[in-house]
Amino acid sequence: MSFPWAKHYKPSHPLMQWLDEKLPLPRFVYNAVGAGYPVPRNLNYMWNFGVLAGVCLMLQIVTGVVLAMHYAANSGVAFDSVEHIMRDVNWGWMLRYAHANGASAFFVVVYIHIFRGFFYSSYKPPREMIWLLGVTIFLLMMATAFMGYVLPWGQMSFWGAKVITGLFSAIPVVGTPLQQWLLGGFAPDNAALNRFFSLHFLLPFVILGVVILHIWALHIPGSSNPTGVEVKTESDTVPFHPYYTAKDGFGLGVFAILYCTMLFFLPNALGHPDNYIQANPLSTPAHIVPEWYFWPFYAILRAFTADFLFIPAKLMGVLAMFSAILVWFFLPWLDTSPVRSGHYRPLFRKFFYLLVIDVLVLGFCGGSPAETKYVLISQIAATYYFLHFLVILPIVASIEKPAPLPFSITQAVLGKDDQTAPAA
Amino acid sequence: MADEAIVNASGTDSPAVHDGAGADEGVRRRDFINIAAVSFAGVGGLAVLVPLVSQMAPSADVLAESSTEIDISQIAPGQAIKAVFRKQPVFVRNLTPVEISEADKVPLSSLRDPQTLEERTKPGKTNWLITMGVCTHLGCVPLGAGEGEVKGEFGGYFCPCHGSVYDTAARIRKGPAPKNLEVPVYEFTSDTVVKIG
């Protein structure tokens, strides 16, 4: 597909030949994740997380469809139907824990996948479209996860829905009508629960569609690699199957061990006890926090406590929170350095690790109560977050002297490249 | 218009009817039909969006619950109750004279959302402070209306979610909330009954 030396699909069995003529689906798979897709030979374990994210999506779809067979999206019975799943449905407890912890696992995997992209500048030409589609997937994931968390109709579900839809009320003029339109009422109630269920069922399939576009866009230039040097000759690549199916399989095994540890031994570690209390519109829990994967963005939301110019603090927080993700869309054009990999960018690398620390600090603050010290730390960390993308990256790209790049992937791996090394 | 165009277009078979503009001038009668057809389909398609968008808005039964009557005869000065209006809490508070004077002595210029207690209550009923129990920041229920709840440093309400503090007139004094607690539309139907909505 992507390189002229890619292997061609040759079905030997008559049935497969017949199928290949009528509907070349096996050929498509062969070229996408089989021996027909040549991949750089030097991929490290950071390149496992795309496949793992795909596995998580399938896990969520399968467990989710099954849970939907037992769940009732009505505010009168939703909470009880979740307890019915936990107590009465055969294996219901496992399926629900698998789905709830599967969401966390999905976000862990996707965050590593995104930060892999940051470090190796996977967003740079010719892979901008893959990056843009990836950010879109992340936004869809956030919407899906938020609506899914509302469905058990516990206290955190209800107040999460109220606070997050309350964000829209910050928009001038149309804010409050928009919020009422989204909820189908003045506060989250049956109408909101029903539509969230409908959309929570729909969006994973939308995500699946965008994932297919994401992979399609990936197969045009081919996978990036840890050196950031483009593939030059056949010796730079190996076929996806069996080399990376095996490597991804090993990664999947490690992932499964960690995931099952959470699922069977710590199933509620990432949840909130308050969500085992049925939703009560008249009593707010003392400490509302979103799920851990939203904490960095929640910290940015809360970092704005004073009006900024003519913009009220509340609107400013909402704008900043959405901008924190939207800024990723502009990344391919903010980081103008021609060198991709962080391995060859000494200055960029330092700022990359600072960003990782900064996001972890934001995450910690987002999960903490709204006390002055945490808000102050959030303000500093949020400022740095935006400085990193909007100021530091362009400056670093223009002043940095990158380390010398290897001539080719083969040279990076073997120390020499007989075929393509220039006469030295 | 459209009918006329169709009649003309179907008449082009007859040699007596000349095909108006002719192909060489770039505009044909068929172009009119194309534009008319696509326009009608487009308008029709957009019209379909109206019910699709509108079904999301609050339904009739939700709107029907938008008025509520509250008996306030049992609320002693200094006490408050939580009632429900549109599935959201309403705080009905019987202010003490001290709380009223505290609210009155705050200079308006120091307020984020300047309003006097008198503007937020009914004439002659300044002690009855009736507000939504919905923080104007992101919609949590502030503390302070229930027995023994924290009232915050200004003696009114305190929202635990993001730390907004309201005074004895339920005006925003500190924290991220942009507005005072909303005063719903209400009237005293008698001395002891309030109708909200």
Side-chain angles (χ1 to χ4, degrees):
Chain A
M1 199 173 192
S2 48
F3 300 112
W5 56 85
K7 288 186 186 170
H8 289 281
Y9 178 67
K10 285 191 207 71
S12 51
H13 194 278
L15 179 67
M16 297 307 280
Q17 288 170 353
W18 179 85
L19 184 61
D20 192 45
E21 277 178 25
K22 317 300 173 199
L23 180 73
L25 194 61
R27 176 182 293 272
F28 179 77
V29 173
Y30 182 90
N31 288 333
V33 289
Y37 178 44
V39 187
R41 63 192 287 174
N42 59 336
L43 300 191
N44 60 32
Y45 278 107
M46 286 292 112
W47 265 258
N48 276 39
F49 290 88
V51 163
L52 284 179
V55 169
C56 287
L57 177 62
M58 295 323 293
L59 177 78
Q60 290 303 86
I61 288 179
V62 171
T63 54
V65 167
V66 173
L67 287 171
M69 295 177 186
H70 303 281
Y71 169 78
N74 179 294
S75 58
V77 292
F79 185 83
D80 291 340
S81 78
V82 172
E83 286 310 304
H84 157 75
I85 289 170
M86 294 300 287
R87 295 166 194 220
D88 303 336
V89 175
N90 297 328
W91 297 95
W93 60 273
M94 193 184 87
L95 290 162
R96 175 163 174 263
Y97 281 153
H99 195 71
N101 285 284
S104 284
F106 200 175
F107 274 96
V108 169
V109 165
V110 162
Y111 276 129
I112 296 174
H113 193 57
I114 291 170
F115 276 81
R116 191 285 312 267
F118 285 155
F119 184 83
Y120 293 102
S121 305
S122 304
Y123 44 80
K124 281 184 187 168
R127 297 186 181 79
E128 307 97 307
M129 184 52 76
I130 310 170
W131 178 257
L132 300 180
L133 290 166
V135 179
T136 307
I137 293 169
F138 182 66
L139 288 171
L140 286 168
M141 276 178 66
M142 293 180 90
T144 310
F146 158 66
M147 288 191 270
Y149 194 60
V150 175
L151 303 185
W153 209 238
Q155 273 288 67
M156 282 294 177
S157 301
F158 180 90
W159 290 99
K162 183 133 191 187
V163 167
I164 299 299
T165 56
L167 298 179
F168 290 91
S169 71
I171 300 166
V173 189
V174 296
T176 304
L178 180 65
Q179 185 194 3
Q180 287 172 6
W181 178 77
L182 288 168
L183 288 172
F186 304 100
D189 201 9
N190 198 38
L193 180 62
N194 257 296
R195 66 188 56 178
F196 281 10
F197 179 59
S198 170
L199 294 174
H200 183 73
F201 206 115
L202 167 74
L203 284 184
F205 298 96
V206 176
I207 291 175
L208 184 63
V210 185
V211 166
I212 289 169
L213 298 183
H214 188 67
I215 299 172
W216 185 6
L218 170 71
H219 281 64
I220 294 169
S223 298
S224 176
N225 72 87
T227 67
V229 176
E230 286 294 325
V231 169
K232 289 190 167 72
T233 58
E234 189 174 358
S235 76
D236 290 341
T237 65
V238 289
F240 190 89
H241 179 75
Y243 292 93
Y244 288 113
T245 41
K247 189 163 184 157
D248 285 335
F250 177 75
L252 181 59
V254 175
F255 167 81
I257 290 171
L258 296 174
Y259 172 67
C260 289
T261 306
M262 292 302 293
L263 166 54
F264 292 111
F265 297 97
L266 297 159
N268 286 309
L270 298 171
H272 303 288
D274 277 36
N275 220 29
Y276 285 104
I277 303 168
Q278 192 164 357
N280 178 359
L282 297 187
S283 161
T284 309
H287 178 38
I288 297 190
V289 280
E291 290 286 81
W292 69 267
Y293 34 80
F294 293 140
W295 285 355
F297 305 104
Y298 195 59
I300 292 174
L301 170 76
R302 292 194 303 190
F304 289 85
T305 49
D307 296 357
F308 181 76
L309 301 176
F310 56 93
I311 306 170
K314 176 170 147 184
L315 179 60
M316 203 57 212
V318 173
L319 290 176
M321 186 181 72
F322 285 114
S323 304
I325 299 168
L326 296 182
V327 72
W328 296 355
F329 278 117
F330 299 94
L331 202 45
W333 298 277
L334 287 169
D335 179 5
T336 50
S337 169
V339 176
R340 291 197 186 93
S341 170
H343 286 308
Y344 303 99
R345 299 188 60 192
L347 190 56
F348 167 85
R349 196 161 60 223
K350 292 191 180 74
F351 284 109
F352 168 81
Y353 288 118
L354 263 179
L355 178 72
V356 173
I357 295 167
D358 185 61
V359 171
L360 291 175
V361 168
L362 278 173
F364 176 76
C365 292
S368 303
E371 289 166 13
T372 317
K373 63 179 171 185
Y374 297 120
V375 172
L376 182 67
I377 298 169
S378 306
Q379 286 168 338
I380 296 165
T383 308
Y384 181 78
Y385 180 92
F386 286 104
L387 275 181
H388 175 88
F389 288 104
L390 297 174
V391 179
I392 293 172
L393 277 186
I395 291 178
V396 166
S398 64
I399 65 169
E400 180 179 54
K401 187 179 185 303
L405 290 172
F407 173 73
S408 68
I409 294 169
T410 305
Q411 193 199 39
V413 176
L414 301 180
K416 62 185 170 59
D417 185 344
D418 296 336
Q419 294 177 41
T420 51
Chain B
M1 274 283 285
D3 289 347
E4 190 188 6
I6 289 163
V7 169
N8 285 345
S10 64
T12 50
D13 287 345
S14 148
V17 180
H18 180 66
D19 186 7
D24 48 339
E25 284 178 44
V27 180
R28 297 166 303 149
R29 291 186 177 192
R30 183 158 296 187
D31 292 337
F32 175 80
I33 296 171
N34 284 347
I35 291 167
V38 170
S39 306
F40 270 80
V43 170
L46 286 175
V48 171
L49 284 179
V50 173
L52 281 178
V53 170
S54 171
Q55 56 83 20
M56 295 271 284
S59 56
D61 60 326
V62 171
L63 292 173
E65 288 174 3
S66 47
S67 110
T68 231
E69 285 198 352
I70 303 167
D71 178 2
I72 57 170
S73 57
Q74 302 300 315
I75 310 170
Q79 272 191 335
I81 61 157
K82 291 182 197 176
V84 181
F85 167 58
R86 291 178 169 178
K87 302 251 172 165
Q88 297 184 91
V90 183
F91 294 160
V92 182
R93 185 158 172 169
N94 192 348
L95 296 174
T96 62
V98 178
E99 286 173 330
I100 294 173
S101 67
E102 261 179 43
D104 283 340
K105 74 183 177 203
V106 179
L108 277 190
S109 56
S110 71
L111 294 173
R112 186 177 299 171
D113 182 10
Q115 265 185 323
T116 61
L117 179 63
E118 284 65 34
E119 286 165 1
R120 294 171 60 72
T121 51
K122 298 288 178 196
K125 306 251 184 206
T126 321
N127 61 319
W128 289 109
L129 178 67
I130 300 178
T131 61
M132 296 304 294
V134 178
C135 181
T136 56
H137 181 227
L138 292 173
C140 296
V141 179
L143 302 174
E147 196 76 34
E149 285 180 356
V150 188
K151 293 185 172 179
E153 61 191 283
F154 295 97
Y157 300 106
F158 170 71
C159 183
C161 292
H162 305 97
S164 292
V165 187
Y166 298 88
D167 66 11
T168 51
R171 294 175 297 200
I172 180 65
R173 297 294 290 274
K174 200 175 157 191
K179 295 275 181 198
N180 302 335
L181 287 187
E182 185 194 341
V183 177
V185 175
Y186 68 91
E187 56 180 353
F188 285 90
T189 51
S190 75
D191 274 352
T192 56
V193 177
V194 179
K195 183 177 171 231
I196 298 178

